[in-house]
Amino acid sequence: MKQYGAEFFGTFWLVLGGCGSAVISAAFPEVGIGLLGVACAFGLTVLTMAFAIGHISGCHLNPAISIGLWVGGRFPANKLAPYIAAQVLGGIVAGGVLYLIASGKAGFDVSAGFASNGYGEHSPGGYSLLSALVSEVVMTMMFLLVIFGATDPRAPQGFAPIAIGLCLTLIHLISIPVTNTSVNPARSTATAIFVGDWALGQLWLFWVAPILGAVIGAYVYRFLGKEDAA
């Protein structure tokens, strides 16, 4: 239960910190943090939580990561469903807290997006479904490669949270204009349920693509990271 609780609060922090920066701070008059700030915020949530709860639950914070780690032989199947449930629930609760905060400002309109992920007319840069699919698959694949490599016993010890947090920052710098960056079904669900309508209609992509990318990343690292026989 401690592991599930850690995943709940870790994902809560990821959504509140990352999506909160996008909803509240990105375009704040005159001192908005912009795309760079939002990207850094997502990376910082993972970096801080990796140090805080990595020794408790592994700090997955993401159903795609949990599935990828399972495929890669790093995570037991019997914990997969409870981990995913804890992550999704933590994200939704954070979405609710963010909604309560953001709705306290006059003129707040959740239908404007609420940091939800989308494609086509709901892509920040107007990118197509195919572009969104490719972006989410490739970004999640690379994320898993970094996670597997940074946490490999042969890698320098103690630096994994930094590498993983910076990787997520880089992913956001690349793909925010394409999909608002998901690579995480729990993060996407957390905001989509408050927007409803188009956000829920497009949510399927942000489950399918990250999970597919995670599985590909797991298999790629199983090949690359396998030690050759003496």
Side-chain angles (χ1 to χ4, degrees), residues 49-189:
M49 274 295 129
F51 279 115
I53 65 169
H55 56 286
I56 300 173
S57 69
C59 191
H60 299 185
L61 318 185
N62 182 335
I65 290 176
S66 296
I67 292 170
L69 291 173
W70 167 64
V71 171
R74 299 264 195 101
F75 190 66
N78 65 335
K79 291 184 178 179
L80 195 55
Y83 259 58
I84 292 173
Q87 292 156 2
V88 172
L89 184 58
I92 291 172
V93 172
V97 171
L98 179 57
Y99 181 87
L100 288 174
I101 296 171
S103 61
K105 180 181 178 181
F108 170 74
D109 180 12
V110 72
S111 66
F114 199 54
S116 289
N117 303 113
Y119 55 84
E121 64 178 308
H122 301 294
S123 158
Y127 288 84
S128 69
L129 169 58
L130 179 60
S131 295
L133 174 65
V134 172
S135 177
E136 289 293 322
V137 170
V138 172
M139 297 302 160
T140 313
M141 178 190 73
M142 296 306 300
F143 197 24
L144 264 291
L145 279 178
V146 171
I147 290 169
F148 272 104
T151 57
D152 192 302
R154 296 167 291 174
Q157 299 300 296
F159 295 100
I162 299 172
I164 294 167
L166 288 175
C167 181
L168 188 61
T169 300
L170 177 58
I171 286 169
H172 279 78
L173 288 174
I174 298 167
S175 61
I176 284 177
V178 183
T179 62
N180 235 2
T181 309
S182 171
V183 302
N184 184 339
R187 169 262 187 271
S188 297
T189 303

Side-chain angles (χ1 to χ4, degrees), residues 111 122 192 195-202:
S111 66
H122 301 294
V195 177
D197 193 27
W198 64 265
L200 285 177
Q202 296 189 354

